[in-house]
Amino acid sequence: MTAPPLANLINELSKLPGVGGKSASRIAYYILKRTTGEAESLANAIADVKAKIFRCSTCNNMTDVEPCAICSDPRRDAGVICVVEEAFNIPTIEQTRDFHGVFHVLLGALSPLKGVGPQDIDVAGLLKRVQSGGVREVIVATNPNVEGEATALYIAQQLHSLEVKTTRLAFGLPVGGDLEYADQVTMSKALEGRREI
Amino acid sequence: MRPQRTEAIILHTFPARERDKLVVFLTPDHGKVKGYAYGARSMRTRFGASLEPLAKVRIGYVERENDEVVRIESVDLIRSLFPAQQNLAASVAASYLAETVDTFAQSGDPAELIYRLLDRTTEALLAGASPLHVVAYAEVWTLRLAGILPSLRNCNVCDEPLGRPLRFDAHAHGFVCPNCAPVDAQVIANDVAAALDAIMRTPVGEIAASEIAADVLFEVRSLAAFFRRNFLGHELKSYEILSGVLRA
């Protein structure tokens, strides 16, 4: 019989994405073995993130200042907006250090199978930003799958009448991959997006 | 551990754990199957585009004893719907087809007819057919294969042959003859009844090439939606989204 406080912790941990019952139990026992200070530090970090983090009113990124550090950075080019599905996609693009524009987080992707329609994602906020002027390019960086592609098509349709260049991240072969393992869709997309060297 | 290798159409995938996907696919011989594709969410996955919804594949999997979720070992892409999904209406229609079949197909039983329906309708979308025509065809035929579509030939109450115009009685859940029709029975326009007849008799390619008007097909869809809702007790998640996209 597990003691109720421990069972409660295991139950809460097992609600986390990717954490099953066994993993939750392992994490709970690991926390029990740490010092009280370390456990409190984890608990405080969780409470802190809920108390201090909110969405940037401009781009929907997660932030603790308004507007977020990216939107308020004068070195960033506000004329180029990179559209991503979720805030956690931003660090992946930031890691490249090749993108100097700003972001717009849609808070999801069109997914008819999950009942997520155009009104459930923040395309309206993006249109408002483009309509307010000064935007030269919108880079659609939604996931390279059916849902991401449908979202990109929808955004392109909505931006069509506005004078802004709309681009999509390239599809193709992953760096370090082998051609022999590429499927026909990836290969044909890679051929379609080939460039002169 | 029983290895299987079969043709299949991917219906739906869900993220699972850190890098895996739970895949729902339809096979002609074993109906709907659920399986884990390990590492499928990684950018360098060996599964590539083969697990995208409505991809037709040759799939190898291992059944585990006392576990209804199989382990997917290999997937070779036969046909991808990705080219057709460069069109928003076709893309949403594809999701709708997947949800419709996912809802009505059974696990463990042969599903050759519904497999063939999904295969042909997907093929039609790839060939550039109108998504509205393809979807109306698939909706009517899914209901027919599931045994939910009421007879278009005989009265749902007295079994007498039906003439034209067709009369629809929501209380009787079907089409009724003039003698059995209550005063509030809905008279179905002859072109809608003709479209239903054509869908029953004609392959999807011919329906897609036909000149059945959009408003007639929307009527066919709303009748199909009535029977489906009546059976399921709810509407499919993608129904409203597709209707919005098709009407735009």
Side-chain angles (χ1 to χ4, degrees):
Chain A
M1 173 89 181
T2 313
L6 182 57
N8 184 35
L9 178 60
I10 293 170
N11 181 39
E12 289 302 320
L13 288 168
S14 66
K15 292 176 188 168
L16 298 174
V19 179
K22 279 184 187 166
S23 300
S25 177
R26 244 193 328 266
I27 297 167
Y29 278 99
Y30 175 81
I31 291 170
L32 267 181
K33 281 185 193 166
R34 310 317 298 169
T35 63
T36 307
E38 282 171 322
E40 276 174 1
S41 163
L42 174 65
N44 289 340
I46 294 170
D48 242 26
V49 89
K50 285 303 290 176
K52 294 178 183 163
I53 301 292
F54 53 91
R55 292 197 182 284
C56 169
S57 62
T58 307
C59 72
N60 292 326
N61 189 13
M62 291 294 189
T63 180
D64 60 344
V65 286
E66 174 65 24
C68 73
I70 295 175
C71 288
S72 59
D73 186 344
R75 292 166 300 178
R76 310 285 303 211
D77 181 356
V80 183
I81 301 179
C82 179
V83 180
V84 293
E85 291 179 15
E86 299 288 353
F88 55 71
N89 298 136
I90 292 178
T92 314
I93 295 172
E94 284 292 274
Q95 276 164 19
T96 65
R97 297 184 186 193
D98 286 332
F99 178 67
H100 307 291
V102 292
F103 289 91
H104 185 83
V105 182
L106 292 171
L107 307 174
L110 282 187
S111 177
L113 285 169
K114 293 175 194 147
V116 180
Q119 71 287 351
D120 301 312
I121 56 175
D122 188 28
V123 176
L126 174 67
L127 293 179
K128 212 167 127 189
R129 289 175 75 180
V130 174
Q131 279 160 347
S132 68
V135 179
R136 304 185 307 279
E137 182 177 0
V138 172
I139 303 171
V140 184
T142 49
N143 282 325
N145 56 26
V146 170
E147 293 170 356
E149 198 59 8
T151 310
L153 285 168
Y154 180 72
I155 291 172
Q157 263 184 12
Q158 299 298 305
L159 291 173
H160 187 68
S161 57
L162 305 172
E163 285 195 3
V164 63
K165 182 176 165 189
T166 309
T167 56
R168 177 89 170 101
L169 285 190
F171 284 72
L173 301 165
V175 175
D178 280 353
L179 273 189
E180 64 176 301
Y181 295 113
D183 62 82
Q184 68 232 44
V185 178
T186 308
M187 202 59 220
S188 82
K189 284 283 176 190
L191 276 169
E192 201 180 291
R194 72 190 185 279
R195 62 184 176 83
E196 205 172 312
I197 48 172
Chain B
M1 302 257 271
R2 272 197 310 159
Q4 300 277 3
R5 191 158 173 80
T6 177
E7 198 178 281
I9 297 176
I10 308 296
L11 296 178
H12 202 174
T13 64
F14 305 86
R17 294 184 283 257
E18 192 80 348
R19 288 172 179 269
D20 310 331
K21 276 185 183 175
L22 179 63
V23 185
V24 183
F25 54 96
L26 185 73
T27 68
D29 298 330
H30 306 285
K32 207 164 67 172
V33 181
K34 277 183 196 167
Y36 281 115
Y38 295 106
R41 291 174 68 198
S42 146
M43 269 290 176
R44 286 197 199 167
T45 171
R46 64 200 161 101
F47 296 111
S50 58
L51 293 177
E52 287 301 299
L54 294 193
K56 185 177 179 180
V57 297
R58 180 151 285 281
I59 194 163
Y61 61 90
V62 177
E63 289 177 319
R64 292 177 287 197
E65 228 162 279
N66 303 323
D67 195 348
E68 58 179 44
V69 184
V70 304
R71 191 179 74 216
I72 296 171
E73 298 276 288
S74 65
V75 188
D76 299 318
L77 188 61
I78 298 173
R79 181 193 67 207
S80 169
L81 195 64
F82 219 73
Q85 285 162 334
Q86 303 307 302
N87 167 307
L88 185 61
S91 178
V92 178
S95 297
Y96 181 73
L97 292 182
E99 187 185 2
T100 305
V101 171
D102 190 12
T103 304
F104 286 99
Q106 303 291 314
S107 300
D109 292 329
E112 209 187 322
L113 293 178
I114 201 161
Y115 181 86
R116 204 168 349 138
L117 171 67
L118 186 60
D119 191 26
R120 299 286 197 276
T121 45
T122 309
E123 190 78 56
L125 280 179
L126 260 175
S130 137
L132 175 59
H133 285 69
V134 173
V135 157
Y137 183 93
E139 283 174 317
V140 173
W141 266 99
T142 309
L143 295 179
R144 167 109 189 237
L145 294 177
I148 298 163
L149 188 71
S151 172
L152 297 170
R153 294 180 179 197
N154 297 86
C155 172
N156 216 34
V157 176
C158 69
D159 210 33
E160 283 296 306
L162 291 170
R164 293 290 182 269
L166 274 180
R167 288 174 176 79
F168 173 66
D169 178 13
H171 308 292
H173 304 301
F175 302 104
V176 289
C177 66
N179 295 333
C180 298
V183 281
D184 61 347
Q186 182 192 343
V187 175
I188 305 294
N190 280 345
D191 48 3
V192 175
L196 277 167
D197 281 336
I199 288 172
M200 291 286 91
R201 284 185 279 105
T202 323
V204 64
E206 285 178 35
I207 289 292
S210 72
E211 292 186 354
I212 303 176
D215 56 341
V216 169
L217 289 170
F218 279 118
E219 279 297 313
V220 168
R221 291 200 68 217
S222 60
L223 270 176
F226 173 84
F227 297 126
R228 189 178 51 227
R229 271 197 302 269
N230 206 39
F231 177 75
L232 296 174
H234 62 86
E235 188 46 280
L236 299 178
K237 287 180 200 158
S238 51
Y239 181 76
E240 284 303 324
I241 298 169
L242 176 65
S243 299
V245 169
L246 289 177
R247 285 183 191 279

Short mmCIF file of all heavy atoms in Angstrom, two decimals, chain A residues 112-115, chain B residues 95-104 135 139 142-143 221 224-225 228-229 232-243:
data_model
loop_
_atom_site.label_atom_id
_atom_site.label_comp_id
_atom_site.label_asym_id
_atom_site.label_seq_id
_atom_site.Cartn_x
_atom_site.Cartn_y
_atom_site.Cartn_z
N PRO A 112 -8.72 19.01 -38.48
CA PRO A 112 -10.12 18.61 -38.51
C PRO A 112 -10.38 17.36 -37.67
O PRO A 112 -11.44 17.25 -37.04
CB PRO A 112 -10.38 18.33 -40.00
CG PRO A 112 -9.35 19.12 -40.73
CD PRO A 112 -8.14 19.13 -39.84
N LEU A 113 -9.42 16.44 -37.63
CA LEU A 113 -9.62 15.20 -36.86
C LEU A 113 -9.74 15.46 -35.36
O LEU A 113 -10.29 14.66 -34.63
CB LEU A 113 -8.47 14.22 -37.11
CG LEU A 113 -8.49 13.51 -38.46
CD1 LEU A 113 -7.19 12.79 -38.70
CD2 LEU A 113 -9.65 12.55 -38.51
N LYS A 114 -9.16 16.58 -34.91
CA LYS A 114 -9.27 16.92 -33.48
C LYS A 114 -10.32 18.00 -33.27
O LYS A 114 -10.44 18.55 -32.19
CB LYS A 114 -7.92 17.39 -32.95
CG LYS A 114 -6.86 16.30 -32.93
CD LYS A 114 -5.52 16.86 -32.50
CE LYS A 114 -4.42 15.87 -32.79
NZ LYS A 114 -3.16 16.53 -33.15
N GLY A 115 -11.02 18.36 -34.34
CA GLY A 115 -12.04 19.40 -34.24
C GLY A 115 -11.46 20.79 -34.14
O GLY A 115 -12.13 21.72 -33.70
N SER B 95 -9.03 14.46 -44.22
CA SER B 95 -9.15 14.25 -42.77
C SER B 95 -10.54 13.72 -42.43
O SER B 95 -10.71 12.86 -41.58
CB SER B 95 -8.93 15.55 -42.01
OG SER B 95 -7.63 16.01 -42.23
N TYR B 96 -11.53 14.27 -43.11
CA TYR B 96 -12.92 13.88 -42.86
C TYR B 96 -13.14 12.41 -43.27
O TYR B 96 -13.79 11.65 -42.55
CB TYR B 96 -13.83 14.82 -43.65
CG TYR B 96 -15.29 14.54 -43.46
CD1 TYR B 96 -15.93 14.86 -42.27
CD2 TYR B 96 -16.04 13.97 -44.48
CE1 TYR B 96 -17.28 14.60 -42.11
CE2 TYR B 96 -17.38 13.72 -44.32
CZ TYR B 96 -18.00 14.04 -43.13
OH TYR B 96 -19.33 13.78 -42.96
N LEU B 97 -12.57 12.03 -44.42
CA LEU B 97 -12.69 10.63 -44.86
C LEU B 97 -12.06 9.70 -43.81
O LEU B 97 -12.62 8.67 -43.46
CB LEU B 97 -11.98 10.40 -46.20
CG LEU B 97 -12.57 11.05 -47.45
CD1 LEU B 97 -11.75 10.67 -48.67
CD2 LEU B 97 -14.01 10.63 -47.64
N ALA B 98 -10.89 10.12 -43.33
CA ALA B 98 -10.18 9.30 -42.34
C ALA B 98 -11.02 9.16 -41.07
O ALA B 98 -11.14 8.07 -40.51
CB ALA B 98 -8.82 9.92 -42.03
N GLU B 99 -11.62 10.27 -40.61
CA GLU B 99 -12.42 10.20 -39.38
C GLU B 99 -13.68 9.34 -39.59
O GLU B 99 -14.06 8.56 -38.72
CB GLU B 99 -12.82 11.60 -38.90
CG GLU B 99 -13.49 11.55 -37.54
CD GLU B 99 -14.02 12.88 -37.04
OE1 GLU B 99 -13.92 13.89 -37.74
OE2 GLU B 99 -14.57 12.88 -35.92
N THR B 100 -14.29 9.49 -40.77
CA THR B 100 -15.50 8.71 -41.06
C THR B 100 -15.19 7.21 -41.00
O THR B 100 -15.88 6.44 -40.33
CB THR B 100 -16.03 9.07 -42.47
OG1 THR B 100 -16.23 10.47 -42.52
CG2 THR B 100 -17.34 8.38 -42.77
N VAL B 101 -14.11 6.82 -41.69
CA VAL B 101 -13.78 5.39 -41.73
C VAL B 101 -13.30 4.92 -40.34
O VAL B 101 -13.66 3.83 -39.89
CB VAL B 101 -12.71 5.14 -42.83
CG1 VAL B 101 -12.18 3.73 -42.74
CG2 VAL B 101 -13.33 5.39 -44.19
N ASP B 102 -12.54 5.76 -39.66
CA ASP B 102 -12.07 5.41 -38.31
C ASP B 102 -13.27 5.15 -37.38
O ASP B 102 -13.25 4.28 -36.53
CB ASP B 102 -11.21 6.57 -37.78
CG ASP B 102 -10.49 6.21 -36.49
OD1 ASP B 102 -10.47 5.01 -36.14
OD2 ASP B 102 -9.94 7.11 -35.85
N THR B 103 -14.35 5.92 -37.58
CA THR B 103 -15.52 5.78 -36.73
C THR B 103 -16.29 4.49 -37.02
O THR B 103 -16.78 3.84 -36.09
CB THR B 103 -16.46 7.00 -36.93
OG1 THR B 103 -15.71 8.18 -36.69
CG2 THR B 103 -17.67 6.97 -36.01
N PHE B 104 -16.39 4.13 -38.29
CA PHE B 104 -17.25 3.00 -38.64
C PHE B 104 -16.53 1.67 -38.81
O PHE B 104 -17.17 0.62 -38.74
CB PHE B 104 -18.07 3.34 -39.89
CG PHE B 104 -19.18 4.31 -39.60
CD1 PHE B 104 -19.03 5.66 -39.88
CD2 PHE B 104 -20.35 3.88 -39.02
CE1 PHE B 104 -20.03 6.56 -39.59
CE2 PHE B 104 -21.37 4.78 -38.72
CZ PHE B 104 -21.21 6.12 -39.00
N VAL B 135 -16.55 13.45 -51.07
CA VAL B 135 -17.00 13.33 -49.68
C VAL B 135 -18.45 12.86 -49.62
O VAL B 135 -18.79 11.98 -48.84
CB VAL B 135 -16.81 14.71 -48.99
CG1 VAL B 135 -17.73 14.85 -47.81
CG2 VAL B 135 -15.38 14.88 -48.56
N GLU B 139 -19.62 9.46 -47.83
CA GLU B 139 -20.57 9.49 -46.70
C GLU B 139 -21.71 8.51 -46.92
O GLU B 139 -22.05 7.72 -46.04
CB GLU B 139 -21.16 10.90 -46.55
CG GLU B 139 -20.21 11.86 -45.90
CD GLU B 139 -20.75 13.29 -45.90
OE1 GLU B 139 -21.29 13.73 -46.92
OE2 GLU B 139 -20.61 13.95 -44.87
N THR B 142 -20.40 4.86 -46.86
CA THR B 142 -20.02 4.39 -45.50
C THR B 142 -21.27 3.99 -44.74
O THR B 142 -21.30 2.95 -44.06
CB THR B 142 -19.27 5.50 -44.73
OG1 THR B 142 -18.22 5.98 -45.53
CG2 THR B 142 -18.71 4.99 -43.41
N LEU B 143 -22.32 4.81 -44.85
CA LEU B 143 -23.58 4.48 -44.16
C LEU B 143 -24.15 3.18 -44.70
O LEU B 143 -24.65 2.33 -43.96
CB LEU B 143 -24.59 5.61 -44.35
CG LEU B 143 -24.24 6.96 -43.72
CD1 LEU B 143 -25.33 7.98 -44.01
CD2 LEU B 143 -24.06 6.82 -42.21
N ARG B 221 -25.49 15.47 -48.39
CA ARG B 221 -24.63 15.43 -47.20
C ARG B 221 -25.46 15.63 -45.92
O ARG B 221 -25.22 15.00 -44.91
CB ARG B 221 -23.56 16.52 -47.26
CG ARG B 221 -22.50 16.28 -48.34
CD ARG B 221 -21.27 17.08 -48.05
NE ARG B 221 -20.63 16.58 -46.85
CZ ARG B 221 -20.03 17.33 -45.95
NH1 ARG B 221 -19.98 18.63 -46.09
NH2 ARG B 221 -19.47 16.79 -44.90
N ALA B 224 -27.25 12.45 -45.13
CA ALA B 224 -26.30 11.45 -44.61
C ALA B 224 -25.92 11.81 -43.17
O ALA B 224 -25.83 10.93 -42.30
CB ALA B 224 -25.06 11.40 -45.50
N ALA B 225 -25.74 13.09 -42.92
CA ALA B 225 -25.35 13.54 -41.57
C ALA B 225 -26.46 13.21 -40.57
O ALA B 225 -26.19 12.83 -39.43
CB ALA B 225 -25.06 15.03 -41.57
N ARG B 228 -26.26 9.54 -39.76
CA ARG B 228 -25.04 9.25 -38.99
C ARG B 228 -25.19 9.72 -37.54
O ARG B 228 -24.89 8.99 -36.60
CB ARG B 228 -23.85 9.94 -39.67
CG ARG B 228 -22.51 9.54 -39.09
CD ARG B 228 -21.38 10.20 -39.83
NE ARG B 228 -21.60 11.62 -39.93
CZ ARG B 228 -21.47 12.32 -41.06
NH1 ARG B 228 -21.10 11.73 -42.16
NH2 ARG B 228 -21.69 13.62 -41.07
N ARG B 229 -25.68 10.96 -37.39
CA ARG B 229 -25.86 11.52 -36.03
C ARG B 229 -26.85 10.67 -35.24
O ARG B 229 -26.67 10.40 -34.06
CB ARG B 229 -26.40 12.95 -36.11
CG ARG B 229 -25.33 14.00 -36.21
CD ARG B 229 -25.91 15.37 -35.88
NE ARG B 229 -27.01 15.72 -36.75
CZ ARG B 229 -26.89 16.38 -37.90
NH1 ARG B 229 -25.69 16.78 -38.29
NH2 ARG B 229 -27.92 16.67 -38.64
N LEU B 232 -24.85 7.54 -34.27
CA LEU B 232 -23.72 7.74 -33.34
C LEU B 232 -24.12 8.49 -32.07
O LEU B 232 -23.48 8.36 -31.04
CB LEU B 232 -22.60 8.54 -34.03
CG LEU B 232 -21.89 7.91 -35.23
CD1 LEU B 232 -20.93 8.92 -35.85
CD2 LEU B 232 -21.13 6.65 -34.80
N GLY B 233 -25.13 9.32 -32.19
CA GLY B 233 -25.51 10.17 -31.06
C GLY B 233 -24.68 11.45 -30.99
O GLY B 233 -24.82 12.24 -30.06
N HIS B 234 -23.81 11.66 -31.96
CA HIS B 234 -23.01 12.90 -32.03
C HIS B 234 -22.54 13.09 -33.47
O HIS B 234 -22.67 12.18 -34.29
CB HIS B 234 -21.80 12.83 -31.08
CG HIS B 234 -20.84 11.74 -31.44
ND1 HIS B 234 -19.83 11.88 -32.36
CD2 HIS B 234 -20.77 10.44 -31.01
CE1 HIS B 234 -19.17 10.75 -32.47
NE2 HIS B 234 -19.71 9.85 -31.67
N GLU B 235 -21.99 14.25 -33.74
CA GLU B 235 -21.48 14.52 -35.09
C GLU B 235 -19.97 14.28 -35.10
O GLU B 235 -19.32 14.33 -34.06
CB GLU B 235 -21.82 15.97 -35.48
CG GLU B 235 -21.52 16.32 -36.92
CD GLU B 235 -22.00 15.27 -37.94
OE1 GLU B 235 -21.30 14.24 -38.12
OE2 GLU B 235 -23.06 15.49 -38.54
N LEU B 236 -19.43 14.01 -36.28
CA LEU B 236 -17.98 13.85 -36.41
C LEU B 236 -17.31 15.20 -36.16
O LEU B 236 -17.86 16.25 -36.52
CB LEU B 236 -17.62 13.33 -37.80
CG LEU B 236 -18.20 11.97 -38.18
CD1 LEU B 236 -17.81 11.60 -39.60
CD2 LEU B 236 -17.73 10.89 -37.22
N LYS B 237 -16.10 15.16 -35.57
CA LYS B 237 -15.42 16.41 -35.21
C LYS B 237 -15.13 17.28 -36.44
O LYS B 237 -15.14 18.49 -36.38
CB LYS B 237 -14.09 16.09 -34.52
CG LYS B 237 -14.25 15.57 -33.12
CD LYS B 237 -12.87 15.28 -32.57
CE LYS B 237 -12.93 14.33 -31.41
NZ LYS B 237 -11.65 13.66 -31.18
N SER B 238 -14.82 16.62 -37.56
CA SER B 238 -14.38 17.39 -38.72
C SER B 238 -15.55 17.84 -39.61
O SER B 238 -15.32 18.54 -40.59
CB SER B 238 -13.39 16.57 -39.54
OG SER B 238 -13.91 15.29 -39.81
N TYR B 239 -16.78 17.46 -39.26
CA TYR B 239 -17.92 17.76 -40.15
C TYR B 239 -18.10 19.27 -40.37
O TYR B 239 -18.16 19.73 -41.51
CB TYR B 239 -19.20 17.15 -39.58
CG TYR B 239 -20.41 17.40 -40.45
CD1 TYR B 239 -20.62 16.68 -41.62
CD2 TYR B 239 -21.34 18.38 -40.10
CE1 TYR B 239 -21.72 16.92 -42.43
CE2 TYR B 239 -22.44 18.62 -40.91
CZ TYR B 239 -22.63 17.89 -42.07
OH TYR B 239 -23.72 18.14 -42.88
N GLU B 240 -18.18 20.02 -39.27
CA GLU B 240 -18.42 21.46 -39.39
C GLU B 240 -17.27 22.16 -40.09
O GLU B 240 -17.46 23.08 -40.88
CB GLU B 240 -18.64 22.10 -38.00
CG GLU B 240 -20.02 21.82 -37.41
CD GLU B 240 -21.16 22.29 -38.31
OE1 GLU B 240 -21.01 23.33 -38.97
OE2 GLU B 240 -22.19 21.57 -38.35
N ILE B 241 -16.03 21.73 -39.77
CA ILE B 241 -14.85 22.36 -40.36
C ILE B 241 -14.86 22.14 -41.87
O ILE B 241 -14.66 23.07 -42.66
CB ILE B 241 -13.55 21.82 -39.73
CG1 ILE B 241 -13.54 22.15 -38.24
CG2 ILE B 241 -12.31 22.37 -40.42
CD1 ILE B 241 -12.47 21.46 -37.44
N LEU B 242 -15.17 20.90 -42.28
CA LEU B 242 -15.21 20.61 -43.72
C LEU B 242 -16.33 21.41 -44.38
O LEU B 242 -16.13 21.99 -45.46
CB LEU B 242 -15.43 19.11 -43.95
CG LEU B 242 -15.59 18.72 -45.42
CD1 LEU B 242 -14.31 18.98 -46.20
CD2 LEU B 242 -16.00 17.27 -45.58
N SER B 243 -17.50 21.46 -43.75
CA SER B 243 -18.61 22.20 -44.36
C SER B 243 -18.23 23.66 -44.56
O SER B 243 -18.52 24.24 -45.61
CB SER B 243 -19.86 22.11 -43.48
OG SER B 243 -20.24 20.76 -43.36
#
